[in-house]
Amino acid sequence: MLLPIRPLPLIRLLTLALALAAGIVLLPAAPARADGDGLVREEVSFTGGGGLTLHGTVLTSATARGARPGIVLIGGSGAGPREEYRQEAEAFARAGITTLVHDKRTTGYSTMHRDFGLLAEDALAGVRLLRGRAGVDPRHVGLWGFSEGGWVAPLAASRSSDVAFVVTIGGSGYSPLRTQTWNLDTHLRHRGITGHFPKAVAGPAAGLTASLGVFPAADYDPLPALQRLQHTPVLALWGQYDNQVPPRESAQIFRRTLAAAGNQHTVIGFVPGAAHNGHRTSDGFDRIGGPLHHGKRLGDLPPGYAATMTSWVGEVAADRPPASRAATAPLQPIASTPVAGGRYAWLAPALLLLGFAAHPAGGLLRRLGRRRRTDPASPRSAVLLRWLAGLGVVEVAGALLCPLAVLAAGDATATPVLAGRPVTWLLLQGLAVGLLVLAAVTAATAWRERRTMGRAWRFRTLLTLAATAGFALWAVWWGLLIP
């Protein structure tokens, strides 16, 4: 016996099927609530890239009427809980722009792994959610991306014509690794660290990191995504005191790339008195006012910053996207530098470590094999060579770890400084000079005793001295022998 089909459940079933096809999961959500600040907040869940369920909040103005534009906020690197971008979300919502701010994914995203394509899919899922909401004009839903989001937002927009516009704050025109080395260089110099150490971090240490493949998305190129935004209006902003991406250079790259692509609606601007995140600062290294996030101040939104973004979105939503223009960029004290080193940057330090370690390794194997020991001409030669090999291993390992630790931590503030250098680096520089002096003494002693020295011992001495000669050249490249 066939049961009669009731139209209401059928309609619900069809609605659910369409939502799933659009990449949206209609999970039970908390009811919308109107707070005393004139905003309505609704908790939502939706399906992002790879089928991951994401959670966020949709904010609307309680007084807004008619079809409104929408915007999805894309956070910077790190955990990125939605609370970090509450001020921006509320500013957009108060201006009549329906805003989605969501918690960042933790699956498929970590300190060792970045997938900007996956983050772009998350952003596009948010766009689909807003386009399907009542009261939102589906033709005018765009993206706002901060810092890392400055790579993700253009990438997402380049993949879908559903994205009506793109706003970025603190976006970089360079790869993540080059951007990070400029950031660390700036912060090291701000702490009074001079000499060659900042160059070692931004140069050979960064090149070694890239060759080992341990820096996430190190070589991601943001230009192809920008080149595909021929018709998407773009508002690209940087804080006046941005010290985490090179603002002047990035602005030039955005303007030049988008103009070459034929985009006639690119607005380049700088927020007075703002830091990398667009919030108030006195010099880029502090934050003035605002809520706390992980024990640090976020800073208040500076005057005019929110109005610049919301008025621009309003013009785009009215089908009057502003024509391309660019504000005068503030001075950028430090220029960024390309990351050098190539695929085999790891080879030189690996060979040096092997060269220095050959002497103690050979002695250990000889003892384990209980083979007869070939004595040097004198106990003095044995002591000198042992110290030279041991100090060489310590010096190469230390010279690698010191700048790499700064790169890995992404933070230069924890480094104790003495005489304009990190204490550890200063010690390594002193040991490098001592290593060369010890090598000279060892070479002179070996020369005097060359006729009485056994063949195996002579080979190990020559190998250790050759490693020292290679170390001298490598130490100049890494800045250990440069004041």
Side-chain angles (χ1 to χ4, degrees), residues 48-304:
L52 181 69
T53 299
L54 300 172
H55 306 283
T57 306
V58 173
L59 294 87
T60 56
S61 171
T63 59
R65 296 291 181 270
R68 303 177 294 277
I71 193 165
V72 178
L73 307 191
I74 306 171
S77 62
R82 71 189 89 166
E83 181 62 23
E84 186 174 344
Y85 309 103
R86 177 178 59 80
Q87 294 182 84
E88 286 85 355
E90 292 177 351
F92 280 119
R94 288 194 183 95
I97 304 166
T98 300
T99 306
L100 169 63
V101 56
H102 63 86
D103 295 330
K104 195 169 190 174
R105 66 167 50 241
T106 54
T107 302
Y109 183 95
S110 67
T111 56
M112 296 298 292
H113 178 74
R114 296 286 191 277
D115 187 339
F116 294 151
L118 199 58
L119 296 176
E121 290 304 312
D122 292 347
L124 291 177
V127 169
R128 290 192 293 270
L129 184 147
L130 289 187
R131 282 169 54 88
R133 287 181 66 87
V136 175
D137 183 352
R139 298 182 306 111
H140 295 117
V141 176
L143 298 170
W144 175 93
F146 159 59
S147 193
E148 182 183 83
W151 288 310
V152 176
L155 179 60
S158 72
R159 293 181 172 186
S160 174
S161 59
D162 289 345
V163 179
F165 57 85
V166 170
V167 180
T168 64
I169 174 69
S172 176
Y174 290 123
S175 69
L177 183 55
R178 180 167 177 174
T179 302
Q180 179 70 334
T181 57
W182 184 87
N183 166 27
L184 292 173
D185 192 355
T186 302
H187 283 74
L188 287 168
R189 295 179 188 278
H190 176 72
R191 295 200 64 223
I193 296 177
T194 57
H196 206 80
F197 183 73
K199 295 180 181 179
V201 173
L208 176 62
T209 302
S211 71
L212 294 174
V214 296
F215 192 94
D219 298 325
Y220 173 78
D221 185 359
L223 298 189
L226 291 173
Q227 291 165 353
R228 292 193 290 270
L229 302 185
Q230 297 98 333
H231 308 294
T232 306
V234 175
L235 171 63
L237 301 173
W238 288 266
Q240 177 187 1
Y241 298 111
D242 194 330
N243 55 29
Q244 292 182 249
V245 308
R248 189 183 188 95
E249 294 176 46
S250 295
Q252 292 171 347
I253 292 171
F254 269 61
R255 181 180 60 185
R256 183 171 61 246
T257 304
L258 288 165
N263 191 312
Q264 300 179 8
H265 302 289
T266 300
V267 176
I268 304 292
F270 299 88
V271 184
H276 173 59
N277 64 348
H279 294 213
R280 290 183 60 203
T281 182
S282 63
D283 60 359
F285 295 93
D286 64 1
R287 300 292 184 270
I288 301 174
L292 289 172
H293 177 66
H294 292 311
K296 296 183 179 179
R297 289 243 168 247
L298 291 176
D300 291 320
L301 300 186

Side-chain angles (χ1 to χ4, degrees), residues 361-375 456 460:
L364 177 62
L365 291 175
R366 185 175 295 277
R367 285 194 296 273
L368 291 175
R370 297 182 179 180
R371 297 179 59 184
R372 186 175 61 85
R373 181 170 178 260
T374 304
D375 290 328
R460 285 153 65 180

